[in-house]
Structure formats: structure tokens, C-alpha cells
Amino acid sequence: MDLKKSKRLILLLAVIYWVFAIGIYTLGYNQFRYSKGMSDAPGTTYVVGEIVDGMELSQTVKAPSNVLNAVEIFAGTFDRTNTGSLTLTLENSAGQIAGQKTVSLSEIKNNQYTCFAFDEEIALSKGETLVLRLTTEGCSAGNAITIYAGGVLQGENAPGAYALNGESTTGTLCVRLSGYSERAFYQIYWIAVVGAFLILAAYVVWCFRQARRGKSNMVVSLCTVYSRYTFLIKQLVSRDFKTKYKRSALGMAWSFVNPLLTMTVQYVVFSTLFKSDIPNYPVYLLTGIVFFSFFNEALTLGMTSITGNAALIKKVYMPKYIYPVSRVLSSLINFAFALMPLFLVVIFTGTPFQPAMLLLIFDIVCLLAFVTGMTLLLTTAMTFFQDTQFLWSVVSMMWQYVTPVFYPESIIPAKFLPIYRLNPMYQFITFARTCIIDGVSPGPSAYLRCILTAGIVLLLGVGVFRKQQNKFVLYV
């Protein structure tokens, strides 16, 4: 192990760590500090009738967060432009006005939710009971809107039922309160970052001390590969990349063309089914295709890295995990090319470029670690059980169908969502879509899930591979 090169590698990793820590905090500040809250609303079932002057709709609601900033109303305009105004009033349990907003009826959208922001944010306690009142001014029959209601309750005066001029009904108005609560996470972010860095630094120091005693460990192995086998890894990656496009007329252009062709076919097939439910469906679809294709390609190529290099393994000694890692890195190059058409589609669809897109680097690094760990596991299994490649073709197909690549998450029954979201590829693809389509950083839990998923699988893959690698020569 070249000590000078090793120290350079450790310093580089430390710099990358702090760049990520500062970048994530800067780009994700709002999502780290605040969590959005929105109250539930029933499905639209019927209309309450025209709301004319002298009528009042009232309903008990609960604050979904500590701060309220808007109310969304599902209204109908009867396909006409109505004059007059609508006043929304929120009263607390003491009967005091907590917030009020008057809007022109010309701003109301027909048969959909219309959002009305308060001029000043309303500070409350999350879960606090409020009374929502709706009244109009300048409205008469034939020149008024209506509010949708649904969610028939059990009996009159049931909690949550709306009242018309003080007379209780058995339905619930289709209104949603939205706001935000302040997270405690942002207050401990730097404590967690500094604490994790100190733990990692202490571990690295311990590993170097162990190396001086002649004991090998993960950090020492990484430094050894970096100092001795960097050139070899480059050659293996170059060989794998060139072999894939050998005798191909388009060559590397297939990395660019293939995701576009796949997206075109799937867009034509699925757009009529899901387009209405998914905003910006082309970007949504291509993001899923590109990320899942990298995952599938890396594992498919990587699992045969030991058996495919049997002759070289028997003749020349080198760390065996170089072979699967080189396959993953060659697939990473294809992935980088595939990101180009993704961003072309982003431009074509008019999706704005936001600073949050830079957070894709974090997502890709976590995905790379996860894919590497999975590749090491499958490579080990493939070396001992040749049927692994055939089983994987079936598993990968099933994995794609349980990942929201081309369909919306909303089609999954609510009771299965907690299990459904355990899918690692769901985490990585959803993270990417949040950055690209929504243009914001995911919440802290998304980062934690990505880090834990990638870290656990990578450590498991490295551990299993290292334990079994000395037996490989007996089976290849």
C-alpha cells in the first residue's frame, strides 16, 4: 500500500463528504426545516347548491400543521364567470377569528381544487380544532358558485359534518387546509454530520494502525486497490465498455438512443392509462427507465464477472472484487450517457431547471453503492450456482413491475403502501423524480432511507464476497 496515495484518497473522500454535507443542507434547507401538512378531504359526491348571499356553510376542521397558509376548495362555477366574492373565515375554539380571506369568484376554477393563500400565515397548534365558515357577497341565483361535498357520515351532527345556515347535515365539504410545521431535524443536522465524520475519522485511524500491525481491513483494501490497481481497473472498464458496442453500427450512441426508444414505446402504450394521473409523464417515465436500466444492466453484467474471467483469475493474482466493480463502473458510463436524453426531454417538456437537480449526484452515489453491493452478492451466488443468471432474469422482471417505473404510486392500495415503499429502487427513483419534476429537495427521511439502503447492502455484499472469494478458483 502506497501510504502517500492512500492519504491522498482519504483526504479526497473527506472533501467529498463535506461538499455533500454543505450542498445538501444548502439545497434542501426548506425541506429540512419545514414539513408540509394538508388535511384530508372526502371524494367529491354531490354539490351543496348555489351559495347566494345570506347563506353560510360551516364545518369543524383540524389544523394539519403548526402554521396554516392556504385553504383549497373544490368548487363548481356551472361553466360560467360569476361575479361577487367568497369570504373564508377560520375561528378558534374561543370563537376568535384566526384567519380570514376574501376572494373574487372569478378566480374559482370549475370542478377542481382552487388554492387561496392567506395574506398572513396563521400560527396554531397542530391538531387544533377550528371552525371554517364560507359566505358570499354580491351573489344571487344564476350568479353564484357551489361547493362539492362527500364522505357521508353516520347521522346528523356527526363530528366533521358541515352545517348550512346552522343546520347540520351528514356530509363533509371538500376543503383542505394546508401549511407547514417546523422540523426538529434541521437543528441537529450539523451535530449529526460532525458526529458521523468524527466516527468515520476514528475508524480510519484505527484501520491504519491495524495495517501497521499487518492486519487487513476494508479501508486498507480500498487504499491498496487505489494505489496499485487503478490502471488495471481503467483497462477493465474500457474493455467492458468497448466489448458491449463491438461491431455495432451506432456504437456508444445506443446508450443515448436506447432509453429514448424504450420511453417512446412505453409512453405510447401507457400514456392513455396513466398520463392524466401523472404530471409531466414523459420525464416521470424516462427517469424510471434510465435509473432502473442502470440497476438491471449492472447486475446482469456484473454477476458473470468472476466466471467470465476464469482464465485470468487462475493465472494472475489480483483482488477479485476488481472484476465485478469494473463491470459496475462500465455500466455507470452507459448510465451517464443515458442521462443526456433524460435532460433533453426535461428541456423539451419545459420542465424548469432548479438547483435541487444537483442533488441527483447524491442519489446516484447511493444508487451506485447499492448496485455494487447487489452485484457482489449476485457474483458470489453465480460462482457457486450457475442457475443464478436464469433466476435473476425472472426476479429483475418482477422487480421492475413492483417499482413505479411507468405507473403511478396511487394505484397501489393504501394498506400495501408501507411494504411497497420498502423497495430500494422505489427510494432512488422517487428521490430523483422529486429533484427533477418537483424541483425541490426530498425530506430528511428520503436521505436517511437512501443512505441506510445503500450502506447496508454494500456492507453485506462486501462481507459475503470477501468471505467466499478464496473458494472461487475451485468453481470457475
Side-chain angles (χ1 to χ4, degrees):
M1 180 179 66
D2 188 323
L3 191 59
K4 186 176 181 180
K5 287 186 176 181
S6 299
K7 290 182 177 179
R8 191 183 306 162
L9 173 62
I10 298 300
L11 180 61
L12 175 62
L13 293 177
V15 171
I16 292 174
Y17 177 91
W18 284 108
V19 168
F20 270 123
I22 296 172
I24 289 172
Y25 184 80
T26 302
L27 297 175
Y29 179 79
N30 286 333
Q31 284 69 40
F32 278 23
R33 182 165 185 175
Y34 306 110
S35 62
K36 293 182 179 179
M38 178 173 288
S39 58
D40 295 328
T44 57
T45 305
Y46 59 92
V47 296
V48 302
E50 289 185 299
I51 307 175
V52 298
D53 291 356
M55 294 177 59
E56 180 188 78
L57 292 175
S58 60
Q59 179 174 300
T60 299
V61 295
K62 290 187 180 297
S65 54
N66 293 330
V67 177
L68 293 181
N69 51 26
V71 173
E72 296 183 5
I73 300 176
F74 199 106
T77 65
F78 301 101
D79 288 322
R80 64 194 179 210
T81 301
N82 301 292
T83 58
S85 62
L86 172 71
T87 299
L88 305 87
T89 305
L90 286 175
E91 297 179 358
N92 57 26
S93 56
Q96 299 172 331
I97 296 178
Q100 194 171 64
K101 177 71 174 180
T102 300
V103 295
S104 171
L105 295 189
S106 61
E107 300 178 34
I108 303 290
K109 298 177 182 178
N110 188 40
N111 296 337
Q112 58 181 300
Y113 277 101
T114 303
C115 181
F116 301 104
F118 291 107
D119 297 328
E120 295 183 1
E121 295 179 336
I122 306 171
L124 299 164
S125 298
K126 185 175 181 180
E128 182 177 342
T129 300
L130 304 168
V131 177
L132 172 68
R133 301 187 187 278
L134 299 174
T135 57
T136 59
E137 184 176 348
C139 299
S140 57
N143 180 41
I145 64 167
T146 184
I147 306 296
Y148 279 83
V152 178
L153 302 172
Q154 297 296 322
E156 294 186 3
N157 301 314
Y162 76 90
L164 177 59
N165 291 334
E167 186 174 338
S168 182
T169 67
T170 59
T172 302
L173 296 177
C174 295
V175 295
R176 300 186 300 205
L177 281 65
S178 61
Y180 62 87
S181 298
E182 196 168 79
R183 299 180 190 268
F185 177 80
Y186 87 101
Q187 298 174 342
I188 64 169
Y189 177 83
W190 289 113
I191 297 176
V193 167
V194 173
F197 181 80
L198 292 176
I199 292 173
L200 290 173
Y203 175 70
V204 170
V205 171
W206 178 83
C207 288
F208 272 90
R209 288 182 177 178
Q210 291 294 101
R212 292 177 182 176
R213 300 173 184 174
K215 297 181 180 181
S216 180
N217 52 67
M218 190 181 302
V219 173
V220 172
S221 299
L222 176 64
C223 293
T224 301
V225 170
Y226 176 76
S227 60
R228 295 183 183 178
Y229 299 103
T230 302
F231 177 77
L232 176 60
I233 293 176
K234 291 180 180 179
Q235 295 302 310
L236 290 174
V237 170
S238 177
R239 182 199 67 177
D240 293 336
F241 187 73
K242 292 178 181 178
T243 300
K244 180 177 181 179
Y245 300 108
K246 188 177 182 181
R247 299 181 181 178
S248 171
L250 292 179
M252 291 185 297
W254 276 114
S255 294
F256 185 91
V257 174
N258 188 57
L260 279 180
L261 292 177
T262 304
M263 185 209 73
T264 302
V265 173
Q266 293 193 1
Y267 180 81
V268 171
V269 174
F270 297 113
S271 61
T272 55
L273 296 175
F274 305 122
K275 185 178 179 181
S276 60
D277 298 326
I278 304 177
N280 205 348
Y281 188 63
V283 177
Y284 180 95
L285 176 61
L286 191 55
T287 302
I289 291 173
V290 168
F291 274 73
F292 196 88
S293 294
F294 165 59
F295 165 73
N296 189 38
E297 176 188 313
L299 267 64
T300 301
L301 295 177
M303 72 170 65
T304 59
S305 58
I306 296 298
T307 55
N309 289 287
L312 190 59
I313 290 174
K314 292 179 179 179
K315 293 179 181 179
V316 181
Y317 171 78
M318 65 183 72
K320 295 180 179 61
Y321 47 80
I322 286 179
Y323 298 106
V325 169
S326 66
R327 294 283 177 90
V328 172
L329 292 178
S330 65
S331 296
L332 182 64
I333 297 176
N334 288 329
F335 177 61
F337 279 107
L339 287 175
M340 295 171 62
L342 172 59
F343 286 108
L344 284 178
V345 172
V346 168
I347 295 172
F348 181 78
T349 56
T351 305
F353 281 85
Q354 300 290 350
M357 287 187 181
L358 294 173
L359 294 172
L360 283 174
I361 299 174
F362 171 86
D363 190 35
I364 293 171
V365 169
C366 289
L367 177 60
L368 177 63
F370 171 73
V371 168
T372 302
M374 286 291 299
T375 301
L376 293 174
L377 289 173
L378 287 182
T379 300
T380 303
M382 177 66 185
T383 305
F384 296 114
F385 309 104
Q386 296 294 314
D387 292 342
T388 300
Q389 58 184 327
F390 305 113
L391 292 173
W392 171 247
S393 63
V394 177
V395 172
S396 64
M397 180 178 65
M398 293 174 58
W399 202 323
Q400 183 174 13
Y401 283 122
V402 298
T403 303
V405 174
F406 53 83
Y407 60 83
E409 178 187 341
S410 58
I411 69 173
I412 305 299
K415 62 181 179 180
F416 295 124
L417 279 177
I419 298 175
Y420 180 80
R421 289 170 178 166
L422 293 177
N423 177 359
M425 289 307 298
Y426 167 88
Q427 306 295 341
F428 298 122
I429 292 176
T430 301
F431 191 106
R433 285 170 174 161
T434 302
C435 296
I436 298 173
I437 299 176
D438 298 336
V440 298
S441 165
S445 60
Y447 288 90
L448 183 61
R449 286 193 294 267
C450 286
I451 291 173
L452 289 179
T453 300
I456 291 173
V457 174
L458 179 61
L459 292 175
L460 181 62
V462 170
V464 171
F465 191 91
R466 289 187 64 184
K467 186 176 181 179
Q468 301 296 332
Q469 63 179 342
N470 292 332
K471 301 177 184 178
F472 289 169
V473 70
L474 303 175
Y475 291 87
V476 295

